Amino acid sequence: MVMIRYISTIVILMVLNACNGPSNEEAQLEDYRPAYHFTPKKGWMNDPNGLVFIDGVYHLFFQHNPDSTVWGPMHWGHATSTDLIHWEEQPIALFPDSLGTIFSGSAVIDRDNTAGFGKDALVAIFTHHNHDIEKQQTGLHQYQSIAYSLDKGITWTKYSGNPVLPNPGIWDFRDPKVMWHEEGQQWIMTLATKQTITFYGSKNLKEWTRLSEFGENIGAHGGVWECPDLLQFATPEGDKWVLLVSINPGGPNAGSATQYFVGDFDGKTFTTTQQDIKWMDYGPDNYAGVTFSNTANRKILIGWMSNWEYANVVPASTWRSGMTIARELGLEEHDGQWLLTAVPVKELDRVLEDSDVIERIDVEKELDLSTEVMPLNNTFEGSFVMQKTTGFEIQLANESGEQLSFGYDQSKNEYYIDRSKAGDASFNETFPKRAVAARIGSPAPLAFRFLIDRNSIEIFADQGKINMSALFFAKDAFSKMNFRVDDLTTIENLQVKGVNVKK
Amino acid sequence: MVMIRYISTIVILMVLNACNGPSNEEAQLEDYRPAYHFTPKKGWMNDPNGLVFIDGVYHLFFQHNPDSTVWGPMHWGHATSTDLIHWEEQPIALFPDSLGTIFSGSAVIDRDNTAGFGKDALVAIFTHHNHDIEKQQTGLHQYQSIAYSLDKGITWTKYSGNPVLPNPGIWDFRDPKVMWHEEGQQWIMTLATKQTITFYGSKNLKEWTRLSEFGENIGAHGGVWECPDLLQFATPEGDKWVLLVSINPGGPNAGSATQYFVGDFDGKTFTTTQQDIKWMDYGPDNYAGVTFSNTANRKILIGWMSNWEYANVVPASTWRSGMTIARELGLEEHDGQWLLTAVPVKELDRVLEDSDVIERIDVEKELDLSTEVMPLNNTFEGSFVMQKTTGFEIQLANESGEQLSFGYDQSKNEYYIDRSKAGDASFNETFPKRAVAARIGSPAPLAFRFLIDRNSIEIFADQGKINMSALFFAKDAFSKMNFRVDDLTTIENLQVKGVNVKK
């Protein structure tokens, strides 16, 4: 039963022209390929690497096995975009060499030619992983190397003095994220070292000095630490620093996830008074996320939308794995603690179809929004604001009887995603498990936004304070949408918008 | 002095809008990258491989070292086109594996599932080159393998039983070109074996039987034979077969070139009564050309536009080497001998700008066509028919004083290209040498067509009976065109047309 008290604008539930997206048949042929998230044309992808913004173009490099849909010899793939939504795949940037395969890392613009490769040279700092040394079980098989490009990432020259940071005897020694530290006038490398983060400093990207180590007896330690990132935020209380640390396994909903620490960095040492464990994304499928270099005050993160629990076995044909939507990070104080927030970059708005907004509607039990989603071929976003907080569930279902459910459980004060019935979930035991995320406090109103792109859902709740990303593998697109509430409440600014990448 | 007797249409020498092509500055940034010939986005390219037409799309695979601008570990790159002019580069198709790097070969559509990979599977037949075995100097380092794709060449599976044709002890044992022989109801592999061609037959692409060998004491033997192709032409005298054989060195103008033999093929043996050596292209820069599979009666050839004499050292930045224009092959009888003809595919006409035609003009000495070429940024074609044959030279010059000259020397009855003053020619001793091609007989009228695309010229004389392709490396685009004749003659259908790939 739907009880409509008043609607301040005339609501027309338009059946949008199905031309906006490919037909279901085409979508199935493309085997779950997202429409507005980056995927490689073929082969395997994992971590985003070397994210950097150059002259109006965003560069996304990525861990890539171009010759197979499972993990294997790592290359750096490459894609570019002017808006973080439309990506164009470029030729492979970095190939394995005599020092090893090319594991994760970052890229910086060397404005002052500190490395001597040229002013404004693009320098990639990455981990060489040597499989021959690995077999010797000495633990010395990972070390940091650099390469540079003078043509915006198309062609690369590896530095003849590689590695620039040899392995000091640490089995897991990888994923260098480098930034220029203005106050200290040097490059800072944030490096994953087993289950800690070690900071290194350098004046020239070639010679590195160990500065400090962080992470013992703090944070989640259910698995190895990987892909760190160190971010500086200006706040009314002065600068705050956020340290992102991906961890695998040991995430809040099993497997891979990214925790964060809010604290200070004095140019050498990261410190925090944070006691609890905080997660950047509570969903199962957002890992190894890092931010772009050279975006001034914008902090834009892209993560890998998968989980090592099942990454190699999710349904796939010619390619495997996509990236999350690019997210703008913020830092907000909430009840005396600092929280990292993440919302889709505003560039996404440009590809949203016009749609009608239900400015205000009272819902007692449920609202049928099927005519809204039916034509959108699983390529849309939804959002609303709930005035009085009550439990709710959004159910997206298709003609095959598959259903994706997500919402807010008021009794437990947690958001959740249930993908157990949303298509193939048989390939892994962990995959069908309900993912949950405790809400932080119970503020009203409750703002909720979610993105659907063929085989994925990304939830941004409470203005991005609680996020959840999850894959699913439904046979066909959702044609039904039910929005159920536990108790009568007022929903404002309710909208479902198709995403049209042809815009 | 130009003497114009009558012009049957009003000729307006239009200065075409320079928007048609990039500016000189952009062209220089792109370092000689052709506008309407295929080049890889980055890295090294040589032979075209696996040319095949599938469901309206032309697939061009190519020998590719993606990580360097010089020859190295061979992959099969991949590009697709619906019109043989606009090419879109695809992800790399075949990577080196434990059996070796991936040398040249061909691709067929297995309509009847003879190999068991699936009906209509795309099967690539290629040479594995094993560098480890090569070092042992046994000569057993090249053997033939196969791979198949069920998604039109995007993803490939190498056959587990590779190699399908082991090396029998022949040092140079490569470049399998496979076709279905309808009469014999089997696949025929035409393979380069040192300085001969060996034919093999197979019912299933997996087991091959040696059929015959051709080439001893016939044809040019100045170097190793490579990249053969066997073509069947229907003629009024019944079927004729043409065997293309690339040879390096030993071409007519030094280095690499492609000879051809016209004869018969009975399903097992190729025979010919041809006595002389015939060249498909007399220019220095057309090598390893082969034709597309699955184009019914059309025989469309693409060659590599370079020469092993200097291929690795021509001026280059981020990529090196382009392909020739796609050419339609024909077979014509001329004075009792059969000649292979090659002209640009008709698809090229679609991207030609409209231009005025000088339908008929008498020229006594020279014709200044500078206003025609000036706006075209070295991206154009020219053509004319000369009624009474006389020597002529076309001189294209730029503001840097560089000049490309080509034409017909009547005293020697030969066409020629002189690139010695057409820009950088210092990188190799052979490069500046004048290239010549004896005209076959002296028929009148003389029809002449040439294509210019930034750094290359391709000449098609006498309806494609004599062709010459050559690279040059001029600093900037030609702004002057002079057309000189030795004696008064009538030129008909003279036109210079910009090529606009945005069409």
Side-chain angles (χ1 to χ4, degrees):
Chain A
M1 191 203 126
V2 182
M3 195 174 81
I4 299 181
R5 284 217 185 132
Y6 46 88
I7 298 175
S8 60
T9 58
I10 296 167
V11 176
I12 302 168
L13 294 177
M14 292 192 313
V15 178
L16 292 173
N17 189 316
C19 288
N20 291 333
S23 69
N24 281 354
E25 200 179 15
E26 284 167 343
Q28 265 191 301
L29 281 174
E30 266 288 64
D31 276 291
Y32 309 112
R33 190 184 287 277
Y36 60 98
H37 289 71
F38 176 71
T39 52
K41 281 191 182 178
K42 62 175 246 191
W44 163 270
M45 175 173 78
N46 53 298
D47 310 351
N49 295 147
L51 302 183
V52 61
F53 182 62
I54 312 172
D55 297 344
V57 176
Y58 293 91
H59 292 258
L60 162 63
F61 300 90
F62 52 90
Q63 288 288 282
H64 188 33
N65 181 5
D67 198 24
S68 165
T69 53
V70 294
W71 188 89
M74 283 293 110
H75 302 58
W76 272 28
H78 185 198
T80 54
S81 173
T82 56
D83 64 2
L84 296 161
I85 304 295
H86 299 86
W87 291 97
E88 187 178 348
E89 194 163 340
Q90 302 293 341
I92 292 169
L94 295 175
F95 287 75
D97 56 44
S98 60
L99 289 175
T101 57
I102 314 297
F103 272 26
S104 288
S106 51
V108 295
I109 297 172
D110 187 8
R111 301 222 173 286
D112 298 327
N113 194 18
T114 64
F117 299 138
K119 186 170 156 35
D120 293 327
L122 177 61
V123 181
I125 308 94
F126 58 88
T127 300
H128 259 124
H129 180 100
N130 190 303
H131 293 272
D132 292 334
I133 299 178
E134 187 181 20
K135 279 181 207 151
Q136 299 162 8
Q137 302 267 321
T138 58
L140 300 172
H141 52 281
Q142 296 185 336
Y143 30 80
Q144 317 322 316
S145 293
I146 60 178
Y148 65 92
S149 171
L150 303 177
D151 61 359
K152 301 181 185 177
I154 296 301
T155 54
W156 290 85
T157 304
K158 285 171 187 140
Y159 173 50
S160 57
N162 281 340
V164 293
L165 178 55
N167 190 305
I170 300 173
W171 196 283
D172 297 297
F173 187 70
R174 59 179 176 260
D175 309 339
K177 183 70 159 73
V178 173
M179 59 170 287
W180 178 252
H181 187 250
E182 189 57 35
E183 297 83 342
Q185 284 292 299
Q186 69 170 341
W187 299 101
I188 298 295
M189 179 195 292
T190 305
L191 191 73
T193 47
K194 286 189 107 163
Q195 290 201 13
T196 64
I197 298 302
T198 305
F199 297 95
Y200 293 83
S202 173
K203 294 286 186 193
N204 58 10
L205 295 168
K206 292 172 174 170
E207 293 145 53
W208 293 90
T209 307
R210 187 179 183 282
L211 301 175
S212 66
E213 190 173 353
F214 170 84
E216 224 171 318
N217 303 318
I218 189 167
H221 283 272
V224 69
W225 286 21
E226 296 191 312
C227 298
D229 198 355
L230 181 64
L231 309 172
Q232 184 174 16
F233 286 88
T235 79
E237 297 180 9
D239 282 356
K240 297 277 174 196
W241 292 77
V242 171
L243 180 63
L244 300 179
V245 177
S246 282
I247 171 172
N248 175 59
N253 282 291
S256 320
T258 304
Q259 60 180 326
Y260 69 91
F261 303 91
V262 183
D264 290 301
F265 181 71
D266 65 2
K268 290 190 173 174
T269 308
F270 179 83
T271 52
T272 180
T273 57
Q274 180 180 316
Q275 299 292 321
D276 58 338
I277 294 170
K278 289 182 156 60
W279 299 99
M280 185 178 75
D281 188 316
Y282 286 82
D285 296 310
N286 180 356
Y287 191 63
V290 286
T291 61
F292 280 86
S293 287
N294 199 36
T295 49
N297 288 329
R298 287 188 81 184
K299 288 173 183 64
I300 302 167
L301 177 137
I302 289 180
W304 172 49
M305 193 140 46
S306 196
N307 189 313
W308 284 115
E309 292 288 311
Y310 43 71
N312 275 297
V313 296
V314 296
S317 54
T318 59
W319 58 278
R320 202 182 248 124
S321 296
M323 293 298 179
T324 67
I325 199 76
R327 297 156 184 220
E328 186 123 17
L329 303 184
L331 194 64
E332 270 187 38
E333 203 169 9
H334 178 92
D335 284 345
Q337 60 178 330
W338 287 94
L339 299 177
L340 188 69
T341 62
V343 293
V345 290
K346 62 182 186 303
E347 285 85 347
L348 177 61
D349 296 345
R350 296 184 202 155
V351 291
L352 298 180
E353 294 282 3
D354 292 332
S355 81
D356 293 288
V357 179
I358 302 181
E359 287 198 1
R360 191 174 170 86
I361 185 169
D362 284 5
V363 184
E364 190 182 350
K365 204 166 171 192
E366 68 181 15
L367 204 54
D368 184 350
L369 296 163
S370 299
T371 48
E372 298 274 16
V373 302
M374 200 179 300
L376 300 180
N377 193 29
N378 268 23
T379 310
F380 61 94
E381 67 148 72
S383 61
F384 62 87
V385 174
M386 176 182 278
Q387 283 305 334
K388 181 178 75 75
T389 300
T390 183
F392 69 88
E393 179 166 280
I394 294 171
Q395 299 163 339
L396 291 167
N398 63 19
E399 298 303 321
S400 304
E402 297 165 336
Q403 180 173 307
L404 176 71
S405 307
F406 53 97
Y408 170 67
D409 182 331
Q410 193 174 23
S411 65
K412 296 178 176 165
N413 194 32
E414 66 187 22
Y415 294 103
Y416 65 90
I417 298 175
D418 181 349
R419 60 184 173 183
S420 62
K421 299 187 184 70
D424 188 2
S426 63
F427 47 83
N428 173 266
E429 281 187 13
T430 303
F431 190 85
K433 285 189 187 153
R434 180 184 175 101
V436 299
R439 196 177 181 213
I440 297 168
S442 307
L446 181 159
F448 195 84
R449 182 178 179 187
F450 64 96
L451 312 183
I452 299 284
D453 191 5
R454 303 281 162 76
N455 72 328
S456 71
I457 177 167
E458 290 164 283
I459 289 174
F460 303 89
D462 298 321
Q463 281 89 23
K465 288 190 196 73
I466 294 293
N467 299 323
M468 301 182 81
S469 304
L471 298 173
F472 58 88
F473 296 93
K475 273 201 197 72
D476 34 50
F478 298 129
S479 52
K480 298 169 200 155
M481 176 168 165
N482 233 325
F483 181 8
R484 293 166 176 268
V485 296
D486 291 346
D487 288 311
L488 173 65
T489 186
T490 304
I491 303 294
E492 292 182 348
N493 291 319
L494 172 62
Q495 43 193 320
V496 174
K497 291 186 172 191
V499 177
N500 181 359
V501 291
K502 288 174 186 161
K503 270 184 116 171
Chain B
M1 190 203 126
V2 182
M3 195 174 81
I4 299 181
R5 284 218 185 131
Y6 47 87
I7 298 176
S8 60
T9 57
I10 295 168
V11 177
I12 302 168
L13 294 176
M14 292 192 313
V15 178
L16 293 173
N17 188 316
C19 289
N20 291 334
S23 69
N24 280 355
E25 200 179 15
E26 285 168 341
Q28 266 192 301
L29 281 174
E30 266 288 66
D31 277 291
Y32 309 112
R33 190 184 287 278
Y36 60 98
H37 289 70
F38 177 71
T39 52
K41 280 191 183 178
K42 62 174 246 192
W44 163 271
M45 176 173 78
N46 53 297
D47 310 351
N49 295 147
L51 303 183
V52 61
F53 182 62
I54 312 172
D55 297 345
V57 177
Y58 293 92
H59 292 259
L60 162 63
F61 300 90
F62 52 90
Q63 288 287 283
H64 188 33
N65 180 5
D67 199 25
S68 165
T69 53
V70 294
W71 188 88
M74 283 292 111
H75 303 58
W76 272 28
H78 185 199
T80 53
S81 173
T82 55
D83 64 2
L84 295 161
I85 304 295
H86 299 88
W87 291 97
E88 187 177 349
E89 194 164 341
Q90 302 293 341
I92 292 169
L94 295 175
F95 286 76
D97 56 45
S98 61
L99 289 175
T101 57
I102 314 297
F103 272 26
S104 288
S106 51
V108 295
I109 297 172
D110 187 8
R111 300 221 174 287
D112 298 327
N113 194 18
T114 64
F117 300 138
K119 185 169 156 38
D120 293 326
L122 177 62
V123 181
I125 308 94
F126 58 89
T127 300
H128 259 125
H129 180 100
N130 190 303
H131 293 272
D132 291 335
I133 299 177
E134 186 180 21
K135 279 180 208 152
Q136 299 162 8
Q137 302 267 321
T138 58
L140 300 171
H141 52 281
Q142 296 185 337
Y143 30 81
Q144 317 321 316
S145 293
I146 60 178
Y148 64 93
S149 171
L150 303 177
D151 61 359
K152 301 180 184 177
I154 296 300
T155 54
W156 291 85
T157 304
K158 286 172 186 139
Y159 172 50
S160 58
N162 281 339
V164 293
L165 179 55
N167 190 305
I170 300 174
W171 196 283
D172 297 296
F173 187 70
R174 59 178 176 260
D175 309 338
K177 183 70 158 75
V178 173
M179 59 170 287
W180 178 252
H181 187 250
E182 189 57 35
E183 297 83 343
Q185 284 292 299
Q186 69 170 342
W187 299 101
I188 298 295
M189 179 194 292
T190 305
L191 191 72
T193 46
K194 286 189 107 163
Q195 290 200 13
T196 64
I197 298 302
T198 305
F199 297 95
Y200 292 83
S202 174
K203 294 286 186 193
N204 58 10
L205 295 168
K206 292 172 174 170
E207 292 144 54
W208 293 90
T209 306
R210 187 178 183 283
L211 301 175
S212 66
E213 189 174 352
F214 169 83
E216 224 171 318
N217 302 319
I218 189 167
H221 283 273
V224 68
W225 285 21
E226 296 191 313
C227 298
D229 198 355
L230 181 64
L231 309 171
Q232 184 174 16
F233 286 87
T235 80
E237 296 180 9
D239 282 356
K240 297 277 174 196
W241 292 77
V242 171
L243 180 63
L244 300 179
V245 177
S246 282
I247 171 172
N248 175 58
N253 282 291
S256 320
T258 304
Q259 60 181 325
Y260 69 91
F261 303 90
V262 184
D264 290 301
F265 181 71
D266 65 3
K268 291 190 173 176
T269 308
F270 179 84
T271 51
T272 181
T273 57
Q274 179 180 316
Q275 300 291 321
D276 58 339
I277 294 170
K278 289 182 156 59
W279 299 99
M280 185 179 74
D281 188 316
Y282 287 81
D285 297 310
N286 180 356
Y287 190 63
V290 285
T291 61
F292 280 85
S293 286
N294 198 37
T295 49
N297 288 329
R298 287 189 81 184
K299 289 175 183 64
I300 302 167
L301 177 136
I302 289 180
W304 172 49
M305 194 140 46
S306 196
N307 189 313
W308 284 116
E309 292 288 311
Y310 43 71
N312 275 297
V313 296
V314 296
S317 54
T318 60
W319 58 277
R320 202 181 248 124
S321 296
M323 293 297 179
T324 67
I325 200 76
R327 297 155 184 221
E328 187 123 16
L329 303 184
L331 195 64
E332 270 187 38
E333 202 170 10
H334 178 91
D335 283 346
Q337 60 178 329
W338 287 94
L339 299 176
L340 188 69
T341 62
V343 293
V345 290
K346 62 182 186 304
E347 285 85 347
L348 177 61
D349 296 346
R350 296 184 202 156
V351 291
L352 298 180
E353 294 282 2
D354 291 332
S355 81
D356 293 288
V357 178
I358 302 181
E359 287 199 1
R360 191 175 170 85
I361 185 169
D362 284 4
V363 184
E364 189 182 351
K365 204 167 171 191
E366 68 181 14
L367 204 54
D368 184 349
L369 295 163
S370 299
T371 48
E372 298 273 16
V373 302
M374 200 179 302
L376 299 180
N377 194 30
N378 269 23
T379 310
F380 62 93
E381 67 148 73
S383 61
F384 62 86
V385 174
M386 176 181 278
Q387 283 305 334
K388 181 177 76 74
T389 299
T390 183
F392 68 88
E393 179 165 280
I394 294 171
Q395 299 162 340
L396 292 167
N398 63 19
E399 299 304 320
S400 303
E402 297 165 337
Q403 180 174 307
L404 176 71
S405 307
F406 53 97
Y408 169 67
D409 182 331
Q410 194 174 23
S411 64
K412 296 178 176 165
N413 194 32
E414 66 187 21
Y415 294 103
Y416 65 90
I417 298 175
D418 181 349
R419 60 184 174 184
S420 62
K421 299 187 184 70
D424 187 2
S426 63
F427 47 84
N428 173 266
E429 280 187 13
T430 304
F431 190 85
K433 285 188 188 155
R434 181 183 175 102
V436 299
R439 196 176 182 215
I440 297 168
S442 307
L446 181 159
F448 195 83
R449 181 178 179 187
F450 64 96
L451 312 183
I452 299 284
D453 191 5
R454 303 281 162 76
N455 72 327
S456 70
I457 177 167
E458 290 164 283
I459 289 174
F460 302 89
D462 297 321
Q463 281 89 21
K465 287 190 196 73
I466 294 293
N467 299 323
M468 302 183 80
S469 304
L471 297 173
F472 58 88
F473 296 93
K475 272 201 198 72
D476 34 50
F478 298 128
S479 52
K480 298 169 200 155
M481 176 169 166
N482 233 325
F483 181 8
R484 293 166 176 267
V485 296
D486 291 346
D487 288 310
L488 173 66
T489 186
T490 304
I491 302 295
E492 292 182 348
N493 291 319
L494 173 62
Q495 42 194 320
V496 175
K497 291 186 173 192
V499 177
N500 181 359
V501 290
K502 288 174 187 160
K503 270 183 117 171

